[in-house]
Amino acid sequence: MNLDEAIDMIKECLTQDFNVEVNFSEYKPCGEKPLNLIAIDGSATFIFNVSTLWLGIIRVCALEYEFENGYYLRDRREEEYVEIISTHKALNDIQDKLLRNFPFATPNFIINELRRLYEINLLRKIAEEKKNVIIAMDGALTTTFLKGLDEEVKKILEICKKNENLLIGVAKDSKTHAFHHSITDVELLERKAKDKDYCYVELPESFIKRCKPPLYGKAYFARLFPKARWFRIDIANEAPPKLVFSQLSCYARSKLSLGYVYPLVEAHKLAIKVNQLREIYEERFKEEALRKGIPLHEILRGITNAEGRSYGAYHTYLDEISEW
Amino acid sequence: MKIGEVISASVLGGIEVKLTLNNPEELRVGYPTIVKGKKYDFYCVVQDIYTPKSKVIERIAGIGKEEMIPIEAHDSAYGNLFPCMAKLKVIQLINEKGELKEPETIPPYLAEVRLARKEDLEKIYIPNETSLPMGNLRGVSFEVNLDFGKLVEKPFGIFGRTGVGKSILCKIVCNSILAKEVGNVLIFDMHQEYGLFSKTDNTPGLKYFFPERVEVFALDPVANREAKPFFIEQSKITPSDIIIAFQDLSESMIDALYILEREKGSRDLVTTIREAEPEEYEGKIHSSSLLALKRRIERLRRFDFVREGVEDSFTQMLSLIKAGKSIVLDFGKYGLSTTSYLFIANIITRRLYSIYTRQEENLPKLILFLEEAHKFLEPKVAQHTIFNKLARETRKFNLILALVDQRPSRIDEEVRSQLANRLIMSLKEPSDVSAALSGVPDKGTWEGIVSTMPPRNVLAMGDALPIPTVIEVLNYNVANLKRILKNMDSEEIKEIASNIDIFD
């Protein structure tokens, strides 16, 4: 293919028919003070690797915001966990379950599943403690791949109902093709709803059934501020979407993150401190490891790079060569 | 009040602080701060306040819709959403015993930074018998005492552009010198500000507060009938008086002047110039130079205070100085003439210099306030006058020069380097800022502070203060002076003040 042909293909893609049936629903932004919103997010990083053993840190956090023509932080919770992960043999029950179902699981896969587990644990605590709030999880409302967790999620949904908490999940980046079109759903909606301000669409049931791990709510795409980008928002417990989006739109008016739920920005910032503070974790690990008799050269050899990869890995060397 | 935490520090480069203030406008350049180290309190001044470049800000700048929530209405999980930074200049370390040390080390990361409090400042600014307050430390309600005894030991400078409060500062300095009895002053009062009342703003002058210790002379007795008239006997005029007065004499005119001085015989110099004919000096003086000089000299006829055969008032002035009086020379209508000012100031100073350096008797300390100092000390004219020497030597002879100027860059560098204390107000011309601070360690830091200081603020540095300090000069009003006068030792002054009944 030459360049001309490539450009023609792009042109064809851009001018193709977007005549897919999408049922937009409109809503009005909340005119009164909305419910407080608690944003939950988590992050994880590895700081040490020796052979098949990986030392990881997981951080999950929840931030409660009140909206009063501004976003005011009312409560916060941060939890941090140290995890040793082995891809060779299970070191605890959870890892055992994961390795049995996913024998070729990578350390990253395992630590991410653990992170989601801790997020769900934190969600349960928040759902029990708080009443009449919106709880916004970062990402779609999926369970983890761990078997048996569905029961835990069901319990959380019941608690939310009892305490009149609205549970939602907001995905930052969605690459789905739920409307069976070659372009992503976000792009499709942007093209089709140029003149619509506050609106949403529900994702087809067929799409939800295909999701793995399974969703525990209904999935929507919503525009929370006029002309802002679309975000996928999952709503649990069959809560009325008009009510939810009307409330959420207040939290999506930040000049900093127009159309996106601002407290989730802050929860994300807080969670990824686990990466930003890795030097501090490393130092502490070094001190403790030395104290317990691990030789310094072993410690230094095992410290991982910023992506959590071992420094000795050959691809690190290849990356360096590639920069030339 | 906590204002931030240390994020980087260097002995040479200063301290960088992440501010926790919601609004950076609450902090200003020059404000005193304390960085709480583990062993020391680091006394610093704010050198700069800035917002770091942010890609996020660049992205969202210019986006504006009414419904949007502005960034200042966002709480962040980690302090301010977009924190501002400040650069601090470390001035002094204070140890646990309250002793002051040179800034030879740095505070640790995340050390707390707060505005300086009274108790911090009391460890640094300790009043003594010869000190008086000059105003508040910038940004803090704390009066800073200047040691006027130290100030008048050596030449000092008061620099600042027009309209920033230089005259008021001069008045405060003069009053304080008199109040503490650390010397007497001689002021060439061009705008009738220092006598009984200021003609400009009606504020009380030196004679008001110290009627027994201040004598006023007037070049224009009609305008000030209560002052003693001041006359210059024509024969006392020398070439340097003429060079200074006219400022624009060419080299050949200056040569001509000295030739005429040598050959004047029993006549005075002015008469000699007036009577000189070009043919008489052919081969010695170019005719055009002589004619130009004669034209200049004719301008002296406008000065009624230059007379032939009168008793020269300098003798009377000198005897008053010897008797411990301060002198205000009121220029009256001549105040608008730079020539008259330069002429008179040079004549008087030259003669005082001659008498003080002879050291024949024990003369009282006299502080000579020289406004428009650069006109006497520009390299071009300085070689023909005694001001260079005056700035360098006279502290040995009890005659101290106080240079008051708005263009310090035009003052000879060597003279500037002799100034033991500098009171620097706002200067905008970079060359003036640089010159006012020449010879000061870490000059670059202070340059930024001086060029951003508002009017009525002064950077005081030298041995009259423990550390360089930015001061908000006190309001020159009766209430404030009453307070200062109360601090005075002299019972006589208190009595005078109460008799005048201005304070009730």
Side-chain angles (χ1 to χ4, degrees):
Chain A
M1 184 184 291
N2 61 29
L3 186 59
D4 269 356
E5 287 167 337
I7 290 170
D8 284 344
M9 277 188 76
I10 291 168
K11 194 177 166 189
E12 191 188 325
C13 177
L14 290 174
T15 53
Q16 67 181 290
D17 180 19
F18 296 109
N19 198 16
V20 179
E21 195 183 339
V22 180
N23 295 318
F24 290 102
S25 302
E26 298 197 24
Y27 67 94
K28 282 188 179 161
C30 178
E32 297 162 0
K33 187 170 175 283
L35 300 176
N36 281 10
L37 188 145
I38 300 172
I40 297 179
D41 199 359
S43 189
T45 188
F46 288 113
I47 59 165
F48 186 79
N49 158 241
V50 56
S51 187
T52 57
L53 282 184
W54 297 77
L55 175 68
I57 311 277
I58 298 170
R59 186 179 169 97
V60 290
C61 60
L63 297 176
E64 179 175 356
Y65 273 85
E66 182 181 356
F67 177 83
E68 216 163 352
N69 289 324
Y71 303 116
Y72 300 101
L73 189 58
R74 296 295 178 232
D75 200 2
R76 64 192 289 162
R77 181 170 302 180
E78 291 159 76
E79 293 176 358
E80 217 166 70
Y81 301 92
V82 178
E83 288 288 339
I84 277 281
I85 289 165
S86 168
T87 49
H88 183 61
K89 65 170 188 178
L91 298 176
N92 56 38
D93 287 352
I94 297 167
Q95 290 185 33
D96 182 50
K97 277 184 196 171
L98 279 169
L99 282 175
R100 258 191 277 143
N101 287 290
F102 303 95
F104 301 106
T106 63
N108 268 327
F109 174 83
I110 296 172
I111 203 161
N112 270 323
E113 288 306 297
L114 291 172
R115 175 192 45 88
R116 282 211 271 181
L117 185 65
Y118 287 124
E119 283 176 7
I120 287 170
N121 285 346
L122 180 59
L123 166 63
R124 179 175 177 147
K125 290 181 214 167
I126 299 284
E128 279 171 346
E129 278 174 29
K130 303 282 178 177
K131 284 185 178 150
N132 209 18
V133 294
I134 305 169
I135 303 174
M137 304 289 289
D138 177 63
L141 286 187
T142 58
T143 56
T144 76
F145 288 102
L146 284 165
K147 284 193 173 162
L149 204 67
D150 315 13
E151 289 306 311
E152 173 67 8
V153 168
K154 273 181 197 162
K155 274 183 209 160
I156 293 173
L157 294 180
E158 278 167 23
I159 296 165
C160 282
K161 229 178 208 173
K162 190 182 127 207
N163 286 342
E164 296 180 69
N165 293 327
L166 295 171
L167 176 60
I168 61 157
V170 183
K172 281 190 281 288
D173 287 301
S174 184
K175 306 276 186 218
T176 56
H177 297 263
F179 296 99
H180 306 288
H181 201 283
S182 57
I183 61 172
T184 63
D185 297 331
V186 169
E187 205 177 333
L188 179 75
L189 294 172
E190 269 168 13
R191 285 166 194 275
K192 287 190 72 78
K194 279 182 186 157
D195 303 327
K196 292 186 170 32
D197 285 345
Y198 296 98
C199 57
Y200 64 91
V201 288
E202 187 175 345
L203 267 66
E205 193 67 29
S206 57
F207 169 79
I208 292 174
K209 279 183 181 160
R210 290 202 310 272
C211 285
K212 274 183 188 173
L215 286 181
Y216 52 96
K218 284 195 169 178
Y220 300 84
F221 272 100
R223 175 176 266 172
L224 298 177
F225 193 87
K227 302 214 166 29
R229 63 172 293 181
W230 290 76
F231 288 98
R232 180 175 153 191
I233 299 173
D234 297 355
I235 302 175
N237 280 340
E238 309 249 325
K242 273 195 170 54
L243 167 77
V244 174
F245 295 133
S246 147
Q247 297 264 322
L248 277 185
S249 67
C250 295
Y251 288 97
R253 282 158 52 185
S254 163
K255 188 167 179 171
L256 194 63
S257 56
L258 219 50
Y260 185 69
V261 178
Y262 171 71
L264 279 168
V265 174
E266 285 299 311
H268 180 70
K269 271 167 63 181
L270 199 54
I272 62 163
K273 287 284 167 195
V274 75
N275 294 305
Q276 292 164 357
L277 302 177
R278 54 179 293 115
E279 280 179 38
I280 294 170
Y281 295 122
E282 275 173 18
E283 281 307 310
R284 200 164 150 218
F285 169 73
K286 269 188 229 167
E287 277 173 27
E288 292 295 312
L290 277 171
R291 197 173 59 81
K292 292 208 164 189
I294 299 178
L296 182 63
H297 70 272
E298 289 288 0
I299 297 170
L300 294 178
R301 193 160 57 188
I303 298 280
T304 62
N305 70 9
E307 287 81 42
R309 294 194 307 219
S310 167
Y311 276 117
Y314 192 67
H315 52 236
T316 310
Y317 171 66
L318 290 179
D319 286 350
E320 285 167 11
I321 294 176
S322 308
E323 284 175 14
W324 287 80
Chain B
M1 180 179 71
K2 182 180 170 181
I3 58 165
E5 288 179 8
V6 171
I7 56 167
S8 79
S10 131
V11 172
L12 298 178
I15 296 175
E16 202 176 10
V17 176
K18 184 173 169 182
L19 296 176
T20 48
L21 296 169
N22 285 328
N23 181 2
E25 293 163 37
E26 288 170 39
L27 196 65
R28 295 193 181 180
V29 167
Y31 273 21
T33 57
I34 293 285
V35 178
K36 201 87 190 137
K38 286 186 178 156
K39 285 176 77 176
Y40 299 104
D41 282 352
F42 292 70
Y43 179 76
C44 309
V45 290
V46 177
Q47 183 187 340
D48 195 9
I49 308 161
Y50 61 97
T51 48
K53 215 170 163 61
S54 155
K55 282 185 181 165
V56 177
I57 289 291
E58 278 176 27
R59 262 176 68 176
I60 65 173
I63 302 171
K65 282 186 185 168
E66 274 179 25
E67 312 92 313
M68 285 181 191
I69 304 297
I71 59 168
E72 57 271 23
H74 288 58
D75 273 359
S76 173
Y78 267 97
N80 285 351
L81 200 54
F82 295 105
C84 297
M85 304 289 175
K87 186 91 187 286
L88 306 182
K89 156 90 184 143
V90 186
I91 306 292
Q92 205 85 66
L93 307 187
I94 309 168
N95 69 12
E96 286 160 356
K97 293 177 190 164
E99 295 162 338
L100 302 185
K101 305 274 175 195
E102 285 305 303
E104 294 170 330
T105 184
I106 54 164
Y109 276 128
L110 304 178
E112 184 187 305
V113 184
R114 59 172 169 78
L115 288 178
R117 291 194 286 253
K118 193 170 173 247
E119 56 267 32
D120 304 313
L121 301 167
E122 280 170 349
K123 291 174 190 161
I124 297 168
Y125 300 99
I126 302 164
N128 64 15
E129 282 182 356
T130 55
S131 66
L132 272 179
M134 205 168 73
N136 272 343
L137 193 60
R138 182 148 200 236
V140 185
S141 180
F142 178 86
E143 280 194 328
V144 177
N145 279 261
L146 196 77
D147 185 342
F148 288 92
K150 280 256 187 218
L151 181 75
V152 299
E153 274 178 12
K154 296 170 195 165
F156 61 95
I158 299 178
F159 303 127
R161 64 194 161 93
T162 311
V164 296
K166 215 163 53 247
S167 299
I168 290 293
L169 181 63
C170 275
K171 268 190 184 182
I172 292 170
V173 170
C174 289
N175 273 314
S176 304
I177 290 170
L178 295 185
K180 283 293 159 188
E181 298 178 3
V182 290
N184 298 312
V185 299
L186 192 159
I187 295 169
F188 302 107
D189 188 5
M190 286 178 79
H191 306 298
Q192 296 182 283
E193 289 178 289
Y194 294 88
L196 197 58
F197 284 100
S198 162
K199 212 177 172 187
T200 324
D201 56 15
N202 211 32
T203 51
L206 305 190
K207 179 80 176 167
Y208 188 96
F209 295 114
F210 304 95
E212 304 297 318
R213 289 173 53 197
V214 175
E215 292 294 340
V216 181
F217 283 85
L219 290 180
D220 175 16
V222 180
N224 189 346
R225 292 184 188 282
E226 287 167 10
K228 294 177 171 59
F230 189 87
F231 298 111
I232 292 286
E233 217 292 316
Q234 192 168 285
S235 64
K236 307 288 184 190
I237 296 170
T238 67
S240 87
D241 301 330
I242 295 167
I243 292 166
I244 287 284
F246 294 111
Q247 296 273 311
D248 61 349
L249 301 191
S250 65
E251 284 301 317
S252 54
M253 285 161 78
I254 292 170
D255 289 343
L257 206 49
Y258 282 107
I259 291 167
L260 292 165
E261 166 72 2
R262 266 199 316 272
E263 300 191 1
K264 70 179 192 225
S266 58
R267 291 175 299 174
D268 65 72
L269 177 62
V270 175
T271 309
T272 307
I273 296 168
R274 280 182 184 144
E275 291 174 354
E277 294 300 332
E279 308 84 54
E280 195 185 339
Y281 292 94
E282 205 173 322
K284 289 181 185 171
I285 302 172
H286 198 279
S287 61
S288 62
S289 298
L290 183 59
L291 292 171
L293 196 56
K294 283 162 80 70
R295 280 197 299 276
R296 299 283 199 293
I297 282 297
E298 281 313 295
R299 291 186 205 162
L300 290 183
R301 288 196 196 278
R302 295 176 210 158
F303 299 159
D304 295 336
F305 53 84
V306 178
R307 295 190 182 180
E308 276 181 277
V310 292
E311 192 181 339
D312 193 292
S313 308
F314 179 78
T315 316
Q316 190 190 5
M317 184 186 274
L318 183 64
S319 58
L320 287 166
I321 290 169
K322 284 179 182 173
K325 305 282 184 185
S326 287
I327 308 292
V328 174
L329 181 53
D330 180 343
F331 273 61
K333 69 178 180 187
Y334 301 106
L336 296 174
S337 159
T338 309
T339 304
S340 71
Y341 165 62
L342 298 172
F343 180 70
I344 286 291
N346 194 57
I347 285 181
I348 293 175
T349 312
R350 176 174 54 75
R351 289 158 82 177
L352 283 171
Y353 175 80
S354 161
I355 290 158
Y356 268 77
T357 50
R358 256 187 258 145
Q359 289 184 293
E360 286 170 354
E361 52 193 312
N362 197 13
L363 294 165
K365 180 170 277 182
L366 185 70
I367 297 96
L368 208 152
F369 281 77
L370 200 62
E371 294 207 34
E372 301 280 343
H374 72 267
K375 294 202 162 146
F376 302 91
L377 292 159
E378 262 184 313
K380 191 182 139 198
V381 291
Q383 58 179 308
H384 300 291
T385 74
I386 43 77
F387 286 96
N388 245 330
K389 285 184 188 169
L390 193 59
R392 275 182 281 135
E393 297 169 6
T394 48
R395 69 189 172 95
K396 302 172 202 159
F397 314 117
N398 260 353
L399 185 60
I400 302 296
L401 202 54
L403 306 181
V404 184
D405 209 322
Q406 53 179 312
R407 298 304 314 269
S409 62
R410 288 164 68 180
I411 295 174
D412 190 67
E413 195 181 337
E414 207 189 321
V415 174
R416 270 189 270 122
S417 69
Q418 299 298 318
L419 301 174
N421 283 280
R422 299 163 205 225
L423 305 177
I424 306 168
M425 304 189 89
S426 171
L427 290 163
K428 288 292 172 209
E429 191 66 40
S431 60
D432 287 325
V433 178
S434 173
L437 292 161
S438 65
V440 172
D442 204 4
K443 180 178 153 187
T445 303
W446 298 110
E447 281 180 345
I449 290 173
V450 168
S451 54
T452 54
M453 268 190 326
R456 298 197 72 114
N457 278 247
V458 61
L459 168 63
M461 50 191 0
D463 52 15
L465 278 148
I467 52 172
T469 306
V470 181
I471 301 168
E472 288 165 358
V473 177
L474 60 86
N475 280 323
Y476 189 78
N477 58 37
V478 172
N480 273 334
L481 286 164
K482 177 183 176 183
R483 217 162 32 80
I484 290 177
L485 285 168
K486 272 184 179 172
N487 288 337
M488 290 181 180
D489 294 333
S490 165
E491 284 301 317
E492 178 198 24
I493 293 160
K494 282 184 187 171
E495 198 184 319
I496 291 161
S498 62
N499 288 342
I500 295 169
D501 201 26
I502 57 167
F503 302 126
D504 298 321

